Amino acid sequence: VLHDVLRFFWKHDVNLRRIESRPSQLGIFDFFVDLEGSDQRVDKLLASLEEYGVQKLLILDEKEVTWFPRHISELDLVANRVLDAGTDLEADHPGFHDQVYRKRREELAE
């Protein structure tokens, strides 16, 4: 499957700067990629991947993300604060009562 998906990057002339895989649920792997290409090429790539059947895509724009873990151990530093309600998501947190926000947090925790 990875080989098939990588063909889309070649087809749309989008460069991979980094690729990382992590085992997920039920033997499925999650892939994290750092890519570079024009907005138009990346948009076409994403459309092709969606047509191919890629179900989840989380798009991170470097201009908007101030920190992103580069090693799995860095996730442990923020897991209690980010992945579940934890100590930092108290009743006065703006997203505490927002069900869409809570659902998205739960989805990321899986």
Side-chain angles (χ1 to χ4, degrees), residues 5-36:
V5 170
L6 290 176
R7 288 183 187 179
F8 288 101
F9 287 85
W10 172 78
K11 176 182 175 185
H12 295 288
D13 197 24
V14 174
N15 295 322
L16 283 173
R17 292 192 291 191
R18 178 183 172 134
I19 184 168
E20 187 175 327
S21 64
R22 296 186 185 153
S24 185
Q25 346 169 350
L26 304 172
I28 298 172
F29 281 81
D30 289 331
F31 291 92
F32 300 87
V33 296
D34 186 6
L35 53 87
E36 86 185 334

PDB file of all heavy atoms in Angstrom, residues 5-36:
ATOM      1  N   VAL A   5       0.803   4.457  -2.642  1.00  0.00           N
ATOM      2  CA  VAL A   5       0.564   5.840  -2.216  1.00  0.00           C
ATOM      3  C   VAL A   5       1.737   6.736  -2.621  1.00  0.00           C
ATOM      4  O   VAL A   5       1.530   7.871  -3.054  1.00  0.00           O
ATOM      5  CB  VAL A   5       0.307   5.900  -0.688  1.00  0.00           C
ATOM      6  CG1 VAL A   5       0.313   7.331  -0.187  1.00  0.00           C
ATOM      7  CG2 VAL A   5      -1.017   5.221  -0.351  1.00  0.00           C
ATOM      8  N   LEU A   6       2.958   6.227  -2.523  1.00  0.00           N
ATOM      9  CA  LEU A   6       4.120   7.035  -2.897  1.00  0.00           C
ATOM     10  C   LEU A   6       4.094   7.413  -4.373  1.00  0.00           C
ATOM     11  O   LEU A   6       4.640   8.445  -4.764  1.00  0.00           O
ATOM     12  CB  LEU A   6       5.416   6.300  -2.549  1.00  0.00           C
ATOM     13  CG  LEU A   6       5.709   6.184  -1.058  1.00  0.00           C
ATOM     14  CD1 LEU A   6       6.963   5.367  -0.831  1.00  0.00           C
ATOM     15  CD2 LEU A   6       5.812   7.549  -0.400  1.00  0.00           C
ATOM     16  N   ARG A   7       3.468   6.599  -5.192  1.00  0.00           N
ATOM     17  CA  ARG A   7       3.348   6.922  -6.618  1.00  0.00           C
ATOM     18  C   ARG A   7       2.584   8.227  -6.837  1.00  0.00           C
ATOM     19  O   ARG A   7       2.859   8.959  -7.781  1.00  0.00           O
ATOM     20  CB  ARG A   7       2.636   5.796  -7.363  1.00  0.00           C
ATOM     21  CG  ARG A   7       3.470   4.577  -7.525  1.00  0.00           C
ATOM     22  CD  ARG A   7       2.720   3.554  -8.340  1.00  0.00           C
ATOM     23  NE  ARG A   7       3.456   2.309  -8.353  1.00  0.00           N
ATOM     24  CZ  ARG A   7       3.049   1.233  -8.959  1.00  0.00           C
ATOM     25  NH1 ARG A   7       1.902   1.234  -9.613  1.00  0.00           N
ATOM     26  NH2 ARG A   7       3.766   0.130  -8.932  1.00  0.00           N
ATOM     27  N   PHE A   8       1.633   8.515  -5.966  1.00  0.00           N
ATOM     28  CA  PHE A   8       0.873   9.757  -6.092  1.00  0.00           C
ATOM     29  C   PHE A   8       1.776  10.976  -5.896  1.00  0.00           C
ATOM     30  O   PHE A   8       1.602  11.991  -6.552  1.00  0.00           O
ATOM     31  CB  PHE A   8      -0.298   9.794  -5.105  1.00  0.00           C
ATOM     32  CG  PHE A   8      -1.414   8.859  -5.459  1.00  0.00           C
ATOM     33  CD1 PHE A   8      -1.555   7.648  -4.806  1.00  0.00           C
ATOM     34  CD2 PHE A   8      -2.327   9.183  -6.446  1.00  0.00           C
ATOM     35  CE1 PHE A   8      -2.579   6.778  -5.123  1.00  0.00           C
ATOM     36  CE2 PHE A   8      -3.359   8.336  -6.778  1.00  0.00           C
ATOM     37  CZ  PHE A   8      -3.490   7.122  -6.112  1.00  0.00           C
ATOM     38  N   PHE A   9       2.724  10.866  -4.972  1.00  0.00           N
ATOM     39  CA  PHE A   9       3.659  11.969  -4.751  1.00  0.00           C
ATOM     40  C   PHE A   9       4.498  12.199  -6.006  1.00  0.00           C
ATOM     41  O   PHE A   9       4.725  13.330  -6.414  1.00  0.00           O
ATOM     42  CB  PHE A   9       4.560  11.679  -3.546  1.00  0.00           C
ATOM     43  CG  PHE A   9       3.842  11.793  -2.231  1.00  0.00           C
ATOM     44  CD1 PHE A   9       3.130  10.718  -1.716  1.00  0.00           C
ATOM     45  CD2 PHE A   9       3.884  12.975  -1.511  1.00  0.00           C
ATOM     46  CE1 PHE A   9       2.464  10.826  -0.512  1.00  0.00           C
ATOM     47  CE2 PHE A   9       3.215  13.087  -0.299  1.00  0.00           C
ATOM     48  CZ  PHE A   9       2.503  12.018   0.194  1.00  0.00           C
ATOM     49  N   TRP A  10       4.959  11.113  -6.603  1.00  0.00           N
ATOM     50  CA  TRP A  10       5.742  11.211  -7.834  1.00  0.00           C
ATOM     51  C   TRP A  10       4.892  11.802  -8.961  1.00  0.00           C
ATOM     52  O   TRP A  10       5.329  12.700  -9.676  1.00  0.00           O
ATOM     53  CB  TRP A  10       6.270   9.824  -8.217  1.00  0.00           C
ATOM     54  CG  TRP A  10       6.926   9.788  -9.556  1.00  0.00           C
ATOM     55  CD1 TRP A  10       8.186  10.219  -9.865  1.00  0.00           C
ATOM     56  CD2 TRP A  10       6.348   9.309 -10.768  1.00  0.00           C
ATOM     57  NE1 TRP A  10       8.418  10.033 -11.194  1.00  0.00           N
ATOM     58  CE2 TRP A  10       7.308   9.472 -11.783  1.00  0.00           C
ATOM     59  CE3 TRP A  10       5.114   8.762 -11.092  1.00  0.00           C
ATOM     60  CZ2 TRP A  10       7.066   9.109 -13.086  1.00  0.00           C
ATOM     61  CZ3 TRP A  10       4.888   8.392 -12.398  1.00  0.00           C
ATOM     62  CH2 TRP A  10       5.853   8.569 -13.380  1.00  0.00           C
ATOM     63  N   LYS A  11       3.676  11.294  -9.114  1.00  0.00           N
ATOM     64  CA  LYS A  11       2.789  11.729 -10.193  1.00  0.00           C
ATOM     65  C   LYS A  11       2.513  13.234 -10.124  1.00  0.00           C
ATOM     66  O   LYS A  11       2.446  13.923 -11.144  1.00  0.00           O
ATOM     67  CB  LYS A  11       1.476  10.950 -10.121  1.00  0.00           C
ATOM     68  CG  LYS A  11       0.436  11.369 -11.133  1.00  0.00           C
ATOM     69  CD  LYS A  11      -0.845  10.583 -10.942  1.00  0.00           C
ATOM     70  CE  LYS A  11      -1.933  11.096 -11.872  1.00  0.00           C
ATOM     71  NZ  LYS A  11      -3.210  10.437 -11.626  1.00  0.00           N
ATOM     72  N   HIS A  12       2.338  13.757  -8.911  1.00  0.00           N
ATOM     73  CA  HIS A  12       1.990  15.172  -8.734  1.00  0.00           C
ATOM     74  C   HIS A  12       3.208  16.051  -8.457  1.00  0.00           C
ATOM     75  O   HIS A  12       3.058  17.234  -8.153  1.00  0.00           O
ATOM     76  CB  HIS A  12       0.943  15.324  -7.634  1.00  0.00           C
ATOM     77  CG  HIS A  12      -0.363  14.687  -7.988  1.00  0.00           C
ATOM     78  ND1 HIS A  12      -1.210  15.214  -8.928  1.00  0.00           N
ATOM     79  CD2 HIS A  12      -0.951  13.537  -7.560  1.00  0.00           C
ATOM     80  CE1 HIS A  12      -2.273  14.436  -9.051  1.00  0.00           C
ATOM     81  NE2 HIS A  12      -2.133  13.412  -8.229  1.00  0.00           N
ATOM     82  N   ASP A  13       4.407  15.447  -8.550  1.00  0.00           N
ATOM     83  CA  ASP A  13       5.663  16.180  -8.385  1.00  0.00           C
ATOM     84  C   ASP A  13       5.708  16.915  -7.045  1.00  0.00           C
ATOM     85  O   ASP A  13       6.024  18.108  -6.970  1.00  0.00           O
ATOM     86  CB  ASP A  13       5.874  17.155  -9.549  1.00  0.00           C
ATOM     87  CG  ASP A  13       7.323  17.617  -9.654  1.00  0.00           C
ATOM     88  OD1 ASP A  13       8.217  16.888  -9.169  1.00  0.00           O
ATOM     89  OD2 ASP A  13       7.544  18.710 -10.187  1.00  0.00           O
ATOM     90  N   VAL A  14       5.368  16.187  -5.980  1.00  0.00           N
ATOM     91  CA  VAL A  14       5.439  16.711  -4.620  1.00  0.00           C
ATOM     92  C   VAL A  14       6.564  15.956  -3.911  1.00  0.00           C
ATOM     93  O   VAL A  14       6.583  14.724  -3.918  1.00  0.00           O
ATOM     94  CB  VAL A  14       4.097  16.523  -3.875  1.00  0.00           C
ATOM     95  CG1 VAL A  14       4.231  16.932  -2.419  1.00  0.00           C
ATOM     96  CG2 VAL A  14       3.001  17.327  -4.564  1.00  0.00           C
ATOM     97  N   ASN A  15       7.502  16.681  -3.346  1.00  0.00           N
ATOM     98  CA  ASN A  15       8.662  16.070  -2.700  1.00  0.00           C
ATOM     99  C   ASN A  15       8.364  15.688  -1.256  1.00  0.00           C
ATOM    100  O   ASN A  15       7.745  16.452  -0.521  1.00  0.00           O
ATOM    101  CB  ASN A  15       9.849  17.035  -2.709  1.00  0.00           C
ATOM    102  CG  ASN A  15      10.336  17.318  -4.103  1.00  0.00           C
ATOM    103  OD1 ASN A  15      10.370  16.440  -4.950  1.00  0.00           O
ATOM    104  ND2 ASN A  15      10.706  18.563  -4.346  1.00  0.00           N
ATOM    105  N   LEU A  16       8.852  14.516  -0.869  1.00  0.00           N
ATOM    106  CA  LEU A  16       8.791  14.089   0.524  1.00  0.00           C
ATOM    107  C   LEU A  16      10.109  14.482   1.186  1.00  0.00           C
ATOM    108  O   LEU A  16      11.169  14.082   0.739  1.00  0.00           O
ATOM    109  CB  LEU A  16       8.632  12.568   0.615  1.00  0.00           C
ATOM    110  CG  LEU A  16       7.260  12.013   0.345  1.00  0.00           C
ATOM    111  CD1 LEU A  16       7.310  10.502   0.318  1.00  0.00           C
ATOM    112  CD2 LEU A  16       6.282  12.472   1.388  1.00  0.00           C
ATOM    113  N   ARG A  17      10.024  15.266   2.237  1.00  0.00           N
ATOM    114  CA  ARG A  17      11.234  15.622   2.971  1.00  0.00           C
ATOM    115  C   ARG A  17      11.476  14.647   4.112  1.00  0.00           C
ATOM    116  O   ARG A  17      12.601  14.436   4.530  1.00  0.00           O
ATOM    117  CB  ARG A  17      11.131  17.044   3.518  1.00  0.00           C
ATOM    118  CG  ARG A  17      11.138  18.080   2.402  1.00  0.00           C
ATOM    119  CD  ARG A  17      11.317  19.463   2.914  1.00  0.00           C
ATOM    120  NE  ARG A  17      10.132  19.881   3.655  1.00  0.00           N
ATOM    121  CZ  ARG A  17       9.907  21.123   4.048  1.00  0.00           C
ATOM    122  NH1 ARG A  17      10.775  22.058   3.782  1.00  0.00           N
ATOM    123  NH2 ARG A  17       8.806  21.432   4.691  1.00  0.00           N
ATOM    124  N   ARG A  18      10.396  14.054   4.599  1.00  0.00           N
ATOM    125  CA  ARG A  18      10.512  13.102   5.708  1.00  0.00           C
ATOM    126  C   ARG A  18       9.267  12.235   5.710  1.00  0.00           C
ATOM    127  O   ARG A  18       8.167  12.708   5.439  1.00  0.00           O
ATOM    128  CB  ARG A  18      10.618  13.863   7.024  1.00  0.00           C
ATOM    129  CG  ARG A  18      10.684  12.977   8.240  1.00  0.00           C
ATOM    130  CD  ARG A  18      10.707  13.818   9.499  1.00  0.00           C
ATOM    131  NE  ARG A  18      10.570  12.969  10.653  1.00  0.00           N
ATOM    132  CZ  ARG A  18      11.315  13.074  11.727  1.00  0.00           C
ATOM    133  NH1 ARG A  18      12.229  14.004  11.802  1.00  0.00           N
ATOM    134  NH2 ARG A  18      11.133  12.273  12.749  1.00  0.00           N
ATOM    135  N   ILE A  19       9.445  10.959   6.034  1.00  0.00           N
ATOM    136  CA  ILE A  19       8.305  10.057   6.190  1.00  0.00           C
ATOM    137  C   ILE A  19       8.562   9.195   7.410  1.00  0.00           C
ATOM    138  O   ILE A  19       9.682   8.752   7.644  1.00  0.00           O
ATOM    139  CB  ILE A  19       8.064   9.203   4.923  1.00  0.00           C
ATOM    140  CG1 ILE A  19       6.803   8.361   5.098  1.00  0.00           C
ATOM    141  CG2 ILE A  19       9.276   8.368   4.585  1.00  0.00           C
ATOM    142  CD1 ILE A  19       6.321   7.718   3.816  1.00  0.00           C
ATOM    143  N   GLU A  20       7.529   9.014   8.202  1.00  0.00           N
ATOM    144  CA  GLU A  20       7.640   8.237   9.438  1.00  0.00           C
ATOM    145  C   GLU A  20       6.379   7.401   9.585  1.00  0.00           C
ATOM    146  O   GLU A  20       5.287   7.853   9.282  1.00  0.00           O
ATOM    147  CB  GLU A  20       7.771   9.219  10.604  1.00  0.00           C
ATOM    148  CG  GLU A  20       8.047   8.596  11.926  1.00  0.00           C
ATOM    149  CD  GLU A  20       8.280   9.651  12.998  1.00  0.00           C
ATOM    150  OE1 GLU A  20       8.815  10.732  12.698  1.00  0.00           O
ATOM    151  OE2 GLU A  20       7.894   9.373  14.151  1.00  0.00           O
ATOM    152  N   SER A  21       6.550   6.163  10.020  1.00  0.00           N
ATOM    153  CA  SER A  21       5.382   5.310  10.233  1.00  0.00           C
ATOM    154  C   SER A  21       5.327   4.874  11.692  1.00  0.00           C
ATOM    155  O   SER A  21       6.351   4.715  12.343  1.00  0.00           O
ATOM    156  CB  SER A  21       5.442   4.075   9.329  1.00  0.00           C
ATOM    157  OG  SER A  21       6.545   3.275   9.666  1.00  0.00           O
ATOM    158  N   ARG A  22       4.102   4.710  12.160  1.00  0.00           N
ATOM    159  CA  ARG A  22       3.877   4.232  13.534  1.00  0.00           C
ATOM    160  C   ARG A  22       2.727   3.248  13.512  1.00  0.00           C
ATOM    161  O   ARG A  22       1.712   3.477  12.848  1.00  0.00           O
ATOM    162  CB  ARG A  22       3.513   5.404  14.454  1.00  0.00           C
ATOM    163  CG  ARG A  22       4.627   6.400  14.581  1.00  0.00           C
ATOM    164  CD  ARG A  22       4.289   7.453  15.586  1.00  0.00           C
ATOM    165  NE  ARG A  22       5.343   8.452  15.601  1.00  0.00           N
ATOM    166  CZ  ARG A  22       5.174   9.695  15.949  1.00  0.00           C
ATOM    167  NH1 ARG A  22       3.996  10.116  16.331  1.00  0.00           N
ATOM    168  NH2 ARG A  22       6.173  10.540  15.945  1.00  0.00           N
ATOM    169  N   PRO A  23       2.880   2.146  14.238  1.00  0.00           N
ATOM    170  CA  PRO A  23       1.767   1.198  14.283  1.00  0.00           C
ATOM    171  C   PRO A  23       0.557   1.818  14.961  1.00  0.00           C
ATOM    172  O   PRO A  23       0.678   2.566  15.925  1.00  0.00           O
ATOM    173  CB  PRO A  23       2.316   0.024  15.099  1.00  0.00           C
ATOM    174  CG  PRO A  23       3.521   0.541  15.790  1.00  0.00           C
ATOM    175  CD  PRO A  23       4.008   1.736  15.041  1.00  0.00           C
ATOM    176  N   SER A  24      -0.599   1.538  14.406  1.00  0.00           N
ATOM    177  CA  SER A  24      -1.847   2.060  14.935  1.00  0.00           C
ATOM    178  C   SER A  24      -2.688   0.876  15.384  1.00  0.00           C
ATOM    179  O   SER A  24      -2.176  -0.186  15.671  1.00  0.00           O
ATOM    180  CB  SER A  24      -2.540   2.874  13.844  1.00  0.00           C
ATOM    181  OG  SER A  24      -3.682   3.494  14.335  1.00  0.00           O
ATOM    182  N   GLN A  25      -3.998   1.035  15.365  1.00  0.00           N
ATOM    183  CA  GLN A  25      -4.880  -0.031  15.814  1.00  0.00           C
ATOM    184  C   GLN A  25      -5.003  -1.133  14.771  1.00  0.00           C
ATOM    185  O   GLN A  25      -4.907  -0.893  13.585  1.00  0.00           O
ATOM    186  CB  GLN A  25      -6.273   0.492  16.129  1.00  0.00           C
ATOM    187  CG  GLN A  25      -6.402   1.949  16.234  1.00  0.00           C
ATOM    188  CD  GLN A  25      -7.831   2.408  16.289  1.00  0.00           C
ATOM    189  OE1 GLN A  25      -8.753   1.666  16.069  1.00  0.00           O
ATOM    190  NE2 GLN A  25      -8.015   3.658  16.578  1.00  0.00           N
ATOM    191  N   LEU A  26      -5.215  -2.328  15.235  1.00  0.00           N
ATOM    192  CA  LEU A  26      -5.515  -3.487  14.405  1.00  0.00           C
ATOM    193  C   LEU A  26      -4.511  -3.716  13.285  1.00  0.00           C
ATOM    194  O   LEU A  26      -4.861  -4.079  12.166  1.00  0.00           O
ATOM    195  CB  LEU A  26      -6.928  -3.356  13.806  1.00  0.00           C
ATOM    196  CG  LEU A  26      -8.061  -3.157  14.819  1.00  0.00           C
ATOM    197  CD1 LEU A  26      -9.352  -2.861  14.093  1.00  0.00           C
ATOM    198  CD2 LEU A  26      -8.200  -4.367  15.729  1.00  0.00           C
ATOM    199  N   GLY A  27      -3.239  -3.489  13.556  1.00  0.00           N
ATOM    200  CA  GLY A  27      -2.206  -3.754  12.576  1.00  0.00           C
ATOM    201  C   GLY A  27      -2.093  -2.725  11.468  1.00  0.00           C
ATOM    202  O   GLY A  27      -1.340  -2.907  10.521  1.00  0.00           O
ATOM    203  N   ILE A  28      -2.841  -1.648  11.559  1.00  0.00           N
ATOM    204  CA  ILE A  28      -2.774  -0.578  10.560  1.00  0.00           C
ATOM    205  C   ILE A  28      -1.670   0.386  10.982  1.00  0.00           C
ATOM    206  O   ILE A  28      -1.425   0.585  12.160  1.00  0.00           O
ATOM    207  CB  ILE A  28      -4.128   0.160  10.469  1.00  0.00           C
ATOM    208  CG1 ILE A  28      -5.213  -0.807  10.021  1.00  0.00           C
ATOM    209  CG2 ILE A  28      -4.042   1.346   9.535  1.00  0.00           C
ATOM    210  CD1 ILE A  28      -6.609  -0.229  10.093  1.00  0.00           C
ATOM    211  N   PHE A  29      -1.011   0.990  10.009  1.00  0.00           N
ATOM    212  CA  PHE A  29       0.037   1.951  10.301  1.00  0.00           C
ATOM    213  C   PHE A  29      -0.426   3.359   9.965  1.00  0.00           C
ATOM    214  O   PHE A  29      -1.135   3.575   8.991  1.00  0.00           O
ATOM    215  CB  PHE A  29       1.304   1.630   9.502  1.00  0.00           C
ATOM    216  CG  PHE A  29       2.113   0.525  10.098  1.00  0.00           C
ATOM    217  CD1 PHE A  29       1.772  -0.791   9.870  1.00  0.00           C
ATOM    218  CD2 PHE A  29       3.208   0.806  10.891  1.00  0.00           C
ATOM    219  CE1 PHE A  29       2.509  -1.818  10.426  1.00  0.00           C
ATOM    220  CE2 PHE A  29       3.958  -0.211  11.448  1.00  0.00           C
ATOM    221  CZ  PHE A  29       3.608  -1.525  11.217  1.00  0.00           C
ATOM    222  N   ASP A  30      -0.001   4.308  10.787  1.00  0.00           N
ATOM    223  CA  ASP A  30      -0.189   5.722  10.501  1.00  0.00           C
ATOM    224  C   ASP A  30       1.116   6.234   9.908  1.00  0.00           C
ATOM    225  O   ASP A  30       2.199   5.876  10.385  1.00  0.00           O
ATOM    226  CB  ASP A  30      -0.494   6.520  11.775  1.00  0.00           C
ATOM    227  CG  ASP A  30      -1.874   6.224  12.332  1.00  0.00           C
ATOM    228  OD1 ASP A  30      -2.757   5.877  11.535  1.00  0.00           O
ATOM    229  OD2 ASP A  30      -2.053   6.357  13.555  1.00  0.00           O
ATOM    230  N   PHE A  31       1.009   7.051   8.873  1.00  0.00           N
ATOM    231  CA  PHE A  31       2.183   7.632   8.245  1.00  0.00           C
ATOM    232  C   PHE A  31       2.149   9.141   8.398  1.00  0.00           C
ATOM    233  O   PHE A  31       1.124   9.767   8.174  1.00  0.00           O
ATOM    234  CB  PHE A  31       2.240   7.255   6.754  1.00  0.00           C
ATOM    235  CG  PHE A  31       2.508   5.802   6.527  1.00  0.00           C
ATOM    236  CD1 PHE A  31       1.470   4.901   6.389  1.00  0.00           C
ATOM    237  CD2 PHE A  31       3.811   5.335   6.478  1.00  0.00           C
ATOM    238  CE1 PHE A  31       1.716   3.560   6.200  1.00  0.00           C
ATOM    239  CE2 PHE A  31       4.067   3.988   6.285  1.00  0.00           C
ATOM    240  CZ  PHE A  31       3.016   3.095   6.140  1.00  0.00           C
ATOM    241  N   PHE A  32       3.279   9.674   8.786  1.00  0.00           N
ATOM    242  CA  PHE A  32       3.433  11.109   8.945  1.00  0.00           C
ATOM    243  C   PHE A  32       4.445  11.556   7.902  1.00  0.00           C
ATOM    244  O   PHE A  32       5.533  10.999   7.818  1.00  0.00           O
ATOM    245  CB  PHE A  32       3.933  11.445  10.352  1.00  0.00           C
ATOM    246  CG  PHE A  32       2.983  10.975  11.424  1.00  0.00           C
ATOM    247  CD1 PHE A  32       3.073   9.692  11.938  1.00  0.00           C
ATOM    248  CD2 PHE A  32       1.990  11.815  11.893  1.00  0.00           C
ATOM    249  CE1 PHE A  32       2.187   9.257  12.913  1.00  0.00           C
ATOM    250  CE2 PHE A  32       1.109  11.388  12.871  1.00  0.00           C
ATOM    251  CZ  PHE A  32       1.204  10.105  13.373  1.00  0.00           C
ATOM    252  N   VAL A  33       4.074  12.539   7.108  1.00  0.00           N
ATOM    253  CA  VAL A  33       4.975  13.003   6.058  1.00  0.00           C
ATOM    254  C   VAL A  33       5.169  14.504   6.145  1.00  0.00           C
ATOM    255  O   VAL A  33       4.259  15.246   6.512  1.00  0.00           O
ATOM    256  CB  VAL A  33       4.464  12.631   4.640  1.00  0.00           C
ATOM    257  CG1 VAL A  33       4.426  11.132   4.459  1.00  0.00           C
ATOM    258  CG2 VAL A  33       3.118  13.241   4.345  1.00  0.00           C
ATOM    259  N   ASP A  34       6.367  14.911   5.840  1.00  0.00           N
ATOM    260  CA  ASP A  34       6.692  16.322   5.683  1.00  0.00           C
ATOM    261  C   ASP A  34       6.963  16.488   4.198  1.00  0.00           C
ATOM    262  O   ASP A  34       7.824  15.814   3.640  1.00  0.00           O
ATOM    263  CB  ASP A  34       7.923  16.658   6.520  1.00  0.00           C
ATOM    264  CG  ASP A  34       8.243  18.146   6.535  1.00  0.00           C
ATOM    265  OD1 ASP A  34       7.444  18.936   5.984  1.00  0.00           O
ATOM    266  OD2 ASP A  34       9.291  18.509   7.086  1.00  0.00           O
ATOM    267  N   LEU A  35       6.194  17.336   3.551  1.00  0.00           N
ATOM    268  CA  LEU A  35       6.308  17.433   2.101  1.00  0.00           C
ATOM    269  C   LEU A  35       6.514  18.861   1.659  1.00  0.00           C
ATOM    270  O   LEU A  35       6.323  19.798   2.422  1.00  0.00           O
ATOM    271  CB  LEU A  35       5.060  16.847   1.432  1.00  0.00           C
ATOM    272  CG  LEU A  35       3.700  17.386   1.888  1.00  0.00           C
ATOM    273  CD1 LEU A  35       3.309  18.609   1.108  1.00  0.00           C
ATOM    274  CD2 LEU A  35       2.661  16.304   1.736  1.00  0.00           C
ATOM    275  N   GLU A  36       6.935  18.989   0.400  1.00  0.00           N
ATOM    276  CA  GLU A  36       7.071  20.327  -0.160  1.00  0.00           C
ATOM    277  C   GLU A  36       6.630  20.290  -1.614  1.00  0.00           C
ATOM    278  O   GLU A  36       6.931  19.359  -2.353  1.00  0.00           O
ATOM    279  CB  GLU A  36       8.491  20.860   0.014  1.00  0.00           C
ATOM    280  CG  GLU A  36       9.472  20.504  -1.029  1.00  0.00           C
ATOM    281  CD  GLU A  36      10.886  20.988  -0.713  1.00  0.00           C
ATOM    282  OE1 GLU A  36      11.055  21.986   0.020  1.00  0.00           O
ATOM    283  OE2 GLU A  36      11.808  20.361  -1.211  1.00  0.00           O
TER     284      GLU A  36
END
